[in-house]
Each structure stands twice: as structure tokens, then as C-alpha cells.
Amino acid sequence: PGGRGTRKERTNETLIAWIKAQAAQTEITASVCTGAFLLGAAGLLHGREATTHWGSVDWLREHHPEATVNDAARWVDEGRIVTSAGVSAGIDMSLYLFDRLQCRAAAETTARHMEYTWQRELV
């Protein structure tokens, strides 16, 4: 997850080591909003495209030049690493991952039960 604390926590060596260790064992590691800073600190954005909240795009570019920051995407799927922009984009990304891992119908049903209008497009 993102939020104001990510800028401080990106220097938390214990947390960053834990994220790195978990990512080595997971099929997908995803972030919402400024959670991308934590993935960047763990080296997980190196050579990958990523996104974050619109208000933090320049900061992500500045601090993680090894990543290609997409400021237009609601989420970016780089296979094992998936990042999203702000909170509602994180919901869209979560439904997208449900679609990717299960099926589109299940994701659509979930969105309908939430009374949520799912933006399926990456941009």
C-alpha cells in the first residue's frame, strides 16, 4: 500500500529486505499509489515500467531513474511486478489481477457487487 508513510519507510532496511524476500517467492508483487517507492527501494522496479499517484510521479522519477515511470497509466503490468496509481486505480488494478488470475466474469461480478464501475483500460 501507499500513503504518506512510504517516503519514510523506503529507508527502513528491515521492511525493504522483507519486501525483497517476499517478492522472490510470489507470483505477483503489486503496489498501490506510493507503495511503488517501497518496490523501488527494494530494487524491484529496475528496468521496468511503473506508475504511482499523479502527485508523486516526479518524485518517483527522481529517486528511481532505473524505472520508466508512466504518468498516464492507472496501472502497469510488468509480469511479476504490477503497480497502480492512486486508490481507485488500485481497485481497478485489483480487479484486473482477479481477471488475470481467475477470469473476467468473476472480476466483473465482484465489481458489480461492490457497485463499482471498473475501468478496465490501463490508461
Side-chain angles (χ1 to χ4, degrees):
R4 295 177 189 251
T6 56
R7 290 188 187 200
K8 175 184 165 221
E9 293 301 327
R10 70 186 175 81
T11 60
N12 179 334
E13 292 179 20
T14 302
L15 175 63
I16 299 307
W18 182 85
I19 291 170
K20 198 182 274 190
Q22 297 310 302
Q25 300 176 50
T26 60
E27 181 178 343
I28 297 171
T29 300
S31 69
V32 176
C33 195
T34 56
F37 300 151
L38 303 177
L39 299 186
L44 300 173
L45 300 183
H46 190 86
R48 290 186 164 99
E49 184 178 345
T51 195
T52 190
H53 187 274
W54 63 267
S56 298
V57 164
D58 290 337
W59 198 94
L60 187 62
R61 281 189 180 119
E62 178 184 340
H63 288 87
H64 295 287
E66 70 281 1
T68 301
V69 179
N70 184 332
D71 59 4
R74 292 185 61 74
W75 72 89
V76 173
D77 183 345
E78 282 285 315
R80 294 190 64 237
I81 303 297
V82 183
T83 56
S84 75
V87 174
S88 65
I91 296 170
D92 289 337
M93 176 193 69
S94 297
L95 291 165
Y96 164 77
L97 289 172
F98 197 10
D99 177 12
R100 179 176 145 184
L101 297 170
Q102 295 294 320
C103 70
R104 167 80 37 113
E108 289 173 342
T109 298
T110 300
R112 181 167 164 76
H113 281 290
M114 293 169 49
E115 295 190 24
Y116 182 78
T117 303
W118 177 22
Q119 293 187 39
R120 292 179 191 91
E121 303 304 316
L122 291 173
V123 177

